[in-house]
Amino acid sequence: MRLGVLDVGSNTVHLLVVDAHRGGHPTPMTSEKDELRLAENLDADGALTPAGADALVRAVAKAGAAATEAGCADVLAFATSALRDATNSAAVLARVRDETGVRLQVLPGDDEARYTFLAVRRWYGWSAGRLLVLDIGGGSLELAAGRDEHPAVAASLPLGAGRLTREWFRSDPPSRREIDALRAHLDAELAPVARRLRRAGAPELAVGTSKTFRSLARLTGAAPSSEGPRVRRALTDVGLRQLAAFITRMSAGDLAELEGVSASRAHQLVAGALVAEAAMRALQITQLEICPWALREGVILRRLDTLEGSARPPSAQTDRSAQDAPDGLGRLTSYEARCTG
């Protein structure tokens, strides 16, 4: 079947269309993005501004039309950190539904971590052993660890690269005082979660997903995207520290000139590097493998698992994102879309 995933994130509205079947490898067919930067369109009260809501409605309507034109049987539509945190989220979601027919579901942060973990597990397989997965988004940082397809520990922290840039940096490039203050904040926020993750056991493979990790790895010498998703890419703690020392002295304009850095996200790169550095330090990781699959692929894989009476996990399983059945959700279409979370 042809499936679409509509991901409304802090930076982009991204439609991914794949051909897939249960037990098969999802094959990407088309991918469309609109750079909305929703998180930068929140007012002083934390509400999405009218301009931001207008842009969101237009982007979702465009994505819905593209999904229909692509022949998607189902579209799984969800929103992450920006709408999760917006104080007028319910009103915005209702407006999107009324004006576009698309029912966006806000995905809880912990479920975001679980779906991403599932995608990483399927990519690397059982031979990878105990996994530790990190994903840096625009508004939040997701972490998960475990041996199975469903992580033993999953957490989400408000430590996204875009959020931290807005909240902690006032100069471009950021001052040494701003950088030191953010580093101290990151260490304090990560410490309790790192203890939980370490109690789950030492990882046999540590993995990073997301555009931020891919950009950092590219800047430290990993293969470019043109070489395809199956080329091994990694990010080391030594390489990351050297890179952070370099880019913290650069303006956003200069960062945008670096290979592998998109102009729209260049201003977030320093904060993203500091989050990655702090997470690796807190978790005592010296290297991260870079996985090309993440949240969107996890949502697709979980949806496929529920097709045609696929078995549910044991009742003792606490990962509610893995317990969904399609009969409880109603038909998923491009005009009545729900996330399976």
Side-chain angles (χ1 to χ4, degrees):
M1 66 187 305
R2 180 157 291 182
L3 289 172
V5 172
L6 180 57
D7 176 359
V8 176
S10 297
N11 291 309
T12 62
V13 174
H14 188 170
L15 173 69
L16 174 65
V17 176
V18 302
D19 282 347
H21 61 275
R22 185 156 62 92
H25 183 287
T27 303
M29 302 305 294
T30 63
S31 178
E32 298 185 14
K33 294 181 184 179
D34 275 330
E35 296 275 354
L36 294 192
R37 298 189 189 179
L38 287 182
E40 297 179 14
N41 282 277
L42 300 178
D43 63 22
D45 296 323
L48 186 64
T49 64
D54 290 344
L56 176 61
V57 168
R58 289 193 298 269
V60 171
K62 176 183 173 185
T68 299
E69 185 176 353
C72 291
D74 288 4
V75 174
L76 314 174
F78 62 88
T80 56
S81 177
L83 282 181
R84 189 162 65 225
D85 296 340
T87 55
N88 60 341
S89 176
V92 171
L93 293 173
R95 182 183 167 195
V96 170
R97 181 191 64 236
D98 293 344
E99 297 188 26
T100 71
V102 174
R103 296 177 181 271
L104 285 174
Q105 178 154 331
V106 174
L107 190 62
D110 287 0
D111 282 354
E112 194 174 337
R114 292 184 181 102
Y115 281 120
T116 301
F117 185 90
L118 170 65
V120 173
R121 170 59 74 192
R122 295 282 177 91
W123 181 267
Y124 288 104
W126 295 112
S127 63
R130 190 187 302 278
L131 287 174
L132 172 63
V133 178
L134 308 177
D135 187 316
I136 301 172
S140 60
L141 165 69
E142 275 67 50
L143 311 95
R147 281 192 177 278
D148 301 321
E149 289 201 333
H150 318 299
V153 179
S156 178
L157 299 174
L159 300 178
R163 182 196 299 269
L164 296 175
T165 299
R166 292 189 306 275
E167 293 180 352
W168 290 85
F169 295 161
R170 295 292 177 266
S171 54
D172 181 24
S175 68
R176 174 52 54 188
R177 179 176 296 180
E178 290 171 340
I179 290 170
D180 289 345
L182 177 54
R183 278 191 166 125
H185 172 72
L186 291 169
D187 288 343
E189 291 294 306
L190 282 163
V193 176
R195 285 194 292 270
R196 287 176 55 204
L197 289 164
R198 287 198 299 269
R199 283 197 295 269
E204 293 167 86
L205 182 66
V207 178
T209 73
S210 75
K211 174 67 173 177
T212 295
F213 275 120
R214 290 195 301 272
S215 295
L216 295 172
R218 179 72 188 102
L219 290 171
T220 58
S225 59
S226 60
E227 294 192 16
R230 298 188 182 279
V231 174
R232 180 180 177 270
R233 297 173 175 87
L235 177 67
T236 66
D237 60 341
V238 173
L240 180 56
R241 285 196 301 271
Q242 293 173 343
L243 176 64
F246 176 63
I247 64 175
T248 51
R249 299 193 297 267
M250 298 177 66
S251 69
D254 289 337
L255 290 171
E257 299 296 322
L258 298 176
E259 185 178 356
V261 179
S262 61
S264 62
R265 299 196 186 196
H267 66 295
Q268 302 179 11
L269 185 65
V270 170
L274 295 178
V275 175
E277 184 184 49
M280 293 180 75
R281 182 168 59 248
L283 294 162
Q284 301 172 5
I285 302 167
T286 59
Q287 179 170 286
L288 287 170
E289 297 283 322
I290 306 302
C291 181
W293 278 6
L295 175 60
R296 286 179 289 273
E297 288 79 11
V299 169
I300 291 168
L301 292 166
R302 179 53 66 218
R303 177 66 179 92
L304 293 173
D305 286 349
T306 66
L307 293 175
E308 301 174 7
S310 178
R312 295 186 184 189
S315 58
Q317 178 59 254
T318 59
D319 177 6
R320 71 178 179 84
S321 69
Q323 297 175 11
D324 300 314
D327 56 351
L329 297 172
R331 179 166 174 74
L332 297 170
T333 72
S334 57
Y335 292 103
E336 292 184 350
R338 297 178 185 270
C339 169
T340 57

